[in-house]
Amino acid sequence: MRTIEDIHQQFAECFNDYVVKPYAYFLSKNLLEGNICIAIDEPLIRIAESPYKNVPGVEALKKSSLVGIDADAVTPFILQNNKLYLHRYYHYESIIVNRIKELVYSGNDLVTQRMEKLSQQAAIIKNLNATLPNNIHPDLKIDWQLAAALQVLTQNFSIITGGPGTGKTTTLAKVLRILYAIEPNARIALAAPTGKASMRMYESLNNTNIDLPNEIKTKFESLKPSTIHSLLGYIYNSVNFKYNSKNTLPFDWIIVDEASMIDVPMFAKLLQAMDQQARIILLGDKDQLASVEAGSLLGDLCLSVEKINQFTAEKAEWINQFITAEEHKITPAFINTENKLLAGKITELKLSHRFNSEGGIGKLSKAILNNESTILQEYIASPIDANVIIDTAYSNEVLQQFTEGYNDFIQEPNIKNAIKKLNNLRILVAVREGDRGLYAVNKKVENILQQKKLINIDSEFYHNRPIIVTKNMYEFGLFNGDVGIIRNGRAYFELANQEEPKPFLPAYITSAETVFAMTIHKSQGSEFTKVLIVLPEGTENPLLTKELLYTGVTRAKNTVTIQASGATILHAANATVKRTSGLRERLG
């Protein structure tokens, strides 16, 4: 009996229908690449990659007993809108589409009533006007933070997007300040895909620079951040959760940060678990990498409309009454004329208070997103900015110099401070294998530090080894992406709502890796003062995209160094993540 080594062919051979096999093969392959479904002409286009050279036409596919052309069909595959899904993923996508529609339509009926209620808090709202510089583009002068906050408070479903430093968490703080004025007992859940991201959200809220009365500060401090898994109530060894459509979450508001990292199945389960009266806000950077798992949820939602930052004439006039400076008011260019479900539900914060778009990381990240090859070539050709270094030679000296920065956390006796110093810098890689991959780079760093006698690798859990959790460990309150340090035979981690790092026996941390270097995917939701990005050589790797490079560069708050050839950087800026789903069309 012949053994089939190709896992996608193994999947396809499970179906005793020659019509379905080639489609099942590509659907399996695409799911592994993060797609929800396939366009039905894809097997014909990519036939050279497939062991199935005879691809029956779509009409034959429609006649298969394994394929449902009705949305309610109970078949392994669903064919809708010229896209083929596994039933499970069509079901998840349908939950998202239907629940968002319910939220939007029920919210639309309450907008006027909510505007009237909010108008009673005019004094509080006007006190939240942003201070903006004068020498910027007119579109950036609009007080998008206050506009977003007021837009959110009139709706059931909202998205606030924006790049690093644009003030997503500050805007959320303004939302909560106003919300607590009109609903003092509002039940609010803060969540994020990872434990690190949820902690950062909580810390940022409690360190906000907006003026808050003491009773509101106390309410902010009482908010308990969590991962989405924890919020829903993880059940050991189950794909189901404690909270679901029959046992809904006890919250009036669900606020989710780093929404670009949410996969489609998880978002479907979150929406199902919301109470019918609850409202939801998603925050995230639509230009960042999508989830490692299936779907590109935030990007698809934002692309379901032709323009974001759109307001009805009535809403714009109402918001403008709270914006005190004329030059900061919403202009007629942003009056909504689009008849799409999410028109007016998505607000993008445009002005970065961290990066100047005329130089440094801000200019570089903008050039990557817009594929401005001339600017990128300038950075590649010569050091034009002290905050951005391009090392096309992969210099060992550059790696050694960066690695010396880890001395700060190694020499710091206080464990809490040591963790903070560890998180001041990080090496980010695109891939795990190869000379420029995660394992090789971590080993190089360890060798450098050991040669300098800063560490002694005498065991697996050697003193001062930094580690990252790679799997959710609910029993310990540790989550995928949490970073800690080995000290004196214990693994120390900072946990949400705990003053001091918590020690664990390292043997219990069964899924962890060394984290002098980490993948760019894992770095989402994190910020570091200094970042060194190491990209693989060549231009063949499909992971090299503008989203990957942009995400890596914008993890740095101060300086970023990129080790990559000029050709690799230019290729990445010209490539984009393409994931197939039906969300855009179905929400249109």
Side-chain angles (χ1 to χ4, degrees):
M1 182 176 176
R2 184 171 65 93
T3 301
I4 299 174
E5 295 184 359
D6 185 333
I7 59 170
H8 308 299
Q9 189 177 0
Q10 289 175 11
F11 175 75
E13 289 298 321
C14 292
F15 303 99
N16 190 25
D17 185 338
Y18 80 96
V19 172
V20 163
K21 289 181 191 289
Y23 292 96
Y25 178 87
F26 277 103
L27 187 51
S28 173
K29 196 168 187 178
N30 278 28
L31 283 169
L32 194 63
E33 294 168 359
N35 300 280
I36 294 298
C37 53
I38 58 170
I40 54 176
D41 60 354
E42 187 168 352
L44 294 169
I45 296 170
R46 297 174 62 182
I47 195 167
E49 304 171 29
S50 166
Y52 302 99
K53 303 307 178 187
N54 179 25
V55 182
V58 175
E59 291 307 313
L61 188 66
K62 289 179 178 178
K63 293 175 182 176
S64 171
S65 62
L66 299 177
V67 178
I69 57 174
D70 184 88
D72 297 322
V74 183
T75 51
F77 302 94
I78 298 289
L79 180 60
Q80 287 279 303
N81 302 321
N82 292 319
K83 292 182 172 66
L84 186 70
Y85 299 78
L86 275 181
H87 186 279
R88 180 162 65 105
Y89 283 95
Y90 183 76
H91 175 64
Y92 286 139
E93 189 177 272
S94 296
I95 289 170
I96 292 171
V97 170
N98 294 334
R99 190 70 181 96
I100 288 177
K101 285 181 177 179
E102 290 172 4
L103 286 163
V104 169
Y105 293 143
S106 60
N108 285 346
D109 294 336
L110 298 169
V111 169
T112 301
Q113 176 185 329
R114 288 168 178 171
M115 286 165 60
E116 291 172 355
K117 193 172 183 180
L118 285 162
S119 293
Q120 297 170 16
Q121 305 298 329
I124 289 173
I125 295 170
K126 287 181 179 180
N127 196 43
L128 298 173
N129 274 251
T131 302
L132 300 169
N134 291 319
N135 57 337
I136 53 175
H137 190 279
D139 287 357
L140 300 182
K141 285 186 179 181
I142 295 172
D143 191 345
W144 290 117
Q145 291 185 5
L146 191 56
L150 291 169
Q151 188 78 299
V152 159
L153 287 162
T154 63
Q155 298 166 158
N156 285 354
F157 179 87
S158 306
I159 296 172
I160 299 174
T161 186
T166 52
K168 294 185 290 295
T169 311
T170 299
T171 303
L172 177 58
K174 294 179 181 183
V175 170
L176 295 177
R177 171 67 184 100
I178 302 167
L179 176 59
Y180 279 130
I182 57 175
E183 297 180 33
N185 298 316
R187 300 171 301 168
I188 299 167
L190 300 181
T194 67
K196 180 68 176 175
S198 67
M199 281 184 64
R200 276 198 55 237
M201 181 189 193
Y202 176 78
E203 290 165 0
S204 297
L205 270 177
N206 282 280
N207 292 324
T208 181
N209 57 8
I210 68 171
D211 188 28
L212 297 174
N214 287 335
E215 66 270 21
I216 302 298
K217 287 181 181 177
T218 301
K219 287 181 181 292
F220 275 34
E221 290 168 1
S222 68
L223 293 170
K224 305 296 183 185
S226 70
T227 64
I228 300 173
H229 282 79
S230 294
L231 177 68
L232 291 174
Y234 171 76
I235 299 173
Y236 185 69
N237 272 350
S238 173
V239 297
N240 298 313
F241 292 91
K242 174 185 174 183
Y243 292 103
N244 49 51
S245 58
K246 295 179 181 177
N247 180 36
T248 56
L249 289 161
F251 296 103
D252 306 308
W253 290 80
I254 311 292
I255 300 167
V256 185
D257 199 9
E258 298 294 345
S260 64
M261 300 167 66
I262 308 175
D263 60 67
V264 163
M266 182 55 65
F267 192 54
K269 291 173 183 180
L270 177 62
L271 289 178
Q272 274 190 309
M274 285 176 58
D275 185 83
Q276 286 298 311
Q277 306 304 314
R279 299 155 74 177
I280 185 167
I281 305 171
L282 303 181
L283 298 99
D285 185 346
K286 63 181 176 57
D287 296 314
Q288 271 189 204
L289 279 168
S291 161
V292 176
E293 306 299 332
S296 51
L297 180 78
L298 185 65
D300 283 344
L301 293 176
C302 290
L303 286 170
S304 71
V305 295
E306 292 176 14
K307 293 182 179 180
I308 52 183
N309 287 19
Q310 295 289 299
F311 303 84
T312 63
E314 179 189 12
K315 181 69 75 64
E317 183 181 1
W318 175 75
I319 291 173
N320 280 341
Q321 71 177 312
F322 302 108
I323 299 176
T324 52
E326 193 66 32
E327 63 271 23
H328 299 333
K329 295 179 185 289
I330 298 168
T331 63
F334 297 97
I335 300 300
N336 175 42
T337 57
E338 192 177 350
N339 187 26
K340 295 285 184 74
L341 183 74
L342 295 185
K345 307 296 184 290
I346 307 167
T347 312
E348 181 178 17
L349 307 178
K350 293 174 171 286
L351 178 64
S352 177
H353 300 274
R354 183 186 309 163
F355 301 133
N356 180 352
S357 62
E358 301 304 313
I361 294 170
K363 182 177 180 179
L364 177 64
S365 60
K366 182 181 175 184
I368 292 166
L369 277 183
N370 298 329
N371 190 22
E372 296 172 345
S373 59
T374 302
I375 294 174
L376 293 173
Q377 285 170 338
E378 289 176 4
Y379 276 107
I380 293 164
S382 60
I384 62 174
D385 195 304
N387 298 109
V388 176
I389 300 165
I390 309 292
D391 172 28
T392 58
Y394 291 95
S395 166
N396 286 329
E397 185 179 338
V398 168
L399 179 62
Q400 288 202 14
Q401 188 175 356
F402 191 90
T403 297
E404 287 173 6
Y406 287 120
N407 183 50
D408 287 349
F409 94 83
I410 292 171
Q411 301 294 346
E412 171 58 58
N414 181 278
I415 294 171
K416 185 174 182 177
N417 292 337
I419 293 174
K420 282 184 167 53
K421 288 182 176 180
L422 168 64
N423 289 327
N424 281 337
L425 73 165
R426 195 62 43 87
I427 301 171
L428 303 181
V429 299
V431 297
R432 302 181 75 84
E433 307 289 345
D435 192 45
R436 313 297 182 196
L438 179 72
Y439 307 120
V441 173
N442 267 319
K443 183 57 66 178
K444 288 176 186 176
V445 172
E446 286 181 325
N447 290 340
I448 292 169
L449 294 174
Q450 182 152 269
Q451 287 170 10
K452 292 181 176 294
K453 302 190 185 309
L454 292 172
I455 61 172
N456 178 26
I457 306 175
D458 54 359
S459 65
E460 179 184 1
F461 295 106
Y462 60 83
H463 190 63
N464 280 318
R465 180 191 175 197
I467 60 173
I468 182 170
V469 176
T470 58
K471 184 179 179 182
N472 292 331
M473 304 177 72
Y474 299 96
E475 64 272 31
F476 299 134
L478 293 174
F479 300 96
N480 190 351
D482 285 350
V483 170
I485 299 175
I486 304 297
R487 284 276 172 98
N488 302 315
R490 294 289 186 272
Y492 288 87
F493 291 88
E494 283 190 309
L495 302 184
N497 306 318
Q498 290 203 7
E499 283 293 318
E500 295 299 323
K502 185 174 180 179
F504 297 88
L505 286 172
Y508 291 141
I509 314 299
T510 54
S511 299
E513 296 176 336
T514 302
V515 73
F516 291 112
M518 68 194 302
T519 63
I520 294 173
H521 272 95
K522 286 279 189 187
S523 74
Q524 290 188 88
S526 298
E527 293 177 351
F528 312 101
T529 304
K530 295 171 60 178
V531 163
L532 169 62
I533 298 172
V534 182
L535 298 182
E537 296 174 82
T539 59
E540 302 302 316
N541 196 302
L543 290 175
L544 293 174
T545 62
K546 70 171 62 180
E547 291 85 357
L548 180 100
L549 187 53
Y550 167 81
T551 301
V553 166
T554 55
R555 296 313 87 203
K557 292 189 288 187
N558 192 354
T559 61
V560 62
T561 301
I562 304 175
Q563 288 193 317
S565 70
T568 299
I569 292 171
L570 293 171
H571 168 80
N574 190 45
T576 188
V577 173
K578 294 179 181 177
R579 290 189 171 182
T580 307
S581 83
L583 276 176
R584 295 184 215 174
E585 295 89 343
R586 298 176 72 185
L587 288 171

